[in-house]
Amino acid sequence: MFPGESLPAFLVFAERLNFTAAARDLHISQPALHVKVRKLAEAVGRPLYVRQGRRLVLTSEGEALARFARERADQLDQFLTELAGEQRRVALAAGQGAYLYLLGDVIARESERLRLFTASRAQTLALVRDGRAQLGVSVLDELPDDLDTVKLATYDQVVVVPHEHPLARRERIRLSDLAGTRMVLPLPTQPLRVTLERLRLVADFEWEVAVEAGGWPLMLHFVELGVGAAVVNGCVRTDLATVPIVDLPSVPYYAIHRPGAPADRRVAQLLAQIRQSLGST
């Protein structure tokens, strides 16, 4: 018999991947939690987690069971919420840039009905995959096979400079036109920085790194202070001069959800509002 009463406990363990922390959250002992997880593994017939160094990692079977447990928990939560005459919140995952420049109008209208996660691209995909978020918004270079995607908008990449900067008079530039320019660049690990450095090497030129900054607001602040020029997505709103870079790829934003998610009326309504706000209907 499948020990369904252990599913809520396994879900907490799957989110924490730490028996001590999960047992503390559940207010049970670690041995009791070990027993629950072991019984579930015996019922599934496969290990639900493995140890990699000092970390615990879910197996594919563990990830599938965690999704199932979260769906069961969501269904129960939705039933109890509707029974009480309340409206359940939709969980939305997106990055800082999407929240700042794409989703503000929708969030302002629907804030009381939303649960928001600020997440990187990889984190957004993970949150949608495991059911913690019903909808995600992110830039995608490759579309995931296991999730459904809807293109919301596409933006040029632009260089941002003060209006008195020589580049501000140009209608468009090539990336190589930034040779020798003092640059305000993203942090080395951020995807945009990796792309820019790869393309710079292909074009075979150098620029001067004036400062590395995390997030567009700080980058724009440094540009306003005259520290250097910055490359950002064209969705960024600023009073500074922006000039399209013709040989950089455009940036597509997608809505991401699990197959069947729009069958939930709340998810379908949120997706429709986002598309309408961005003119992508």
Side-chain angles (χ1 to χ4, degrees), residues 60 63-64 67 71 121-122 124-131 133-134 140 142-150 255-262:
S60 58
E63 291 176 349
R67 285 194 295 270
E71 289 170 358
R121 181 186 316 179
T124 294
L125 292 171
L127 287 165
V128 174
R129 281 193 175 104
D130 66 22
Q134 284 81 50
L140 294 179
E142 297 182 3
L143 303 186
D145 295 331
D146 58 329
L147 298 172
D148 289 348
T149 58
V150 179
I256 310 153
H257 58 78
R258 289 188 295 175

Side-chain angles (χ1 to χ4, degrees), residues 156-160 167 170-175 177 232 241-248:
D156 290 332
Q157 296 192 62
V158 301
V159 62
V160 181
L167 291 176
R170 304 276 294 274
E171 291 186 3
R172 59 186 61 85
I173 66 169
R174 301 185 68 83
L175 187 65
D177 291 328
V232 301
T242 59
V243 184
I245 305 175
V246 296
D247 54 345
L248 286 186

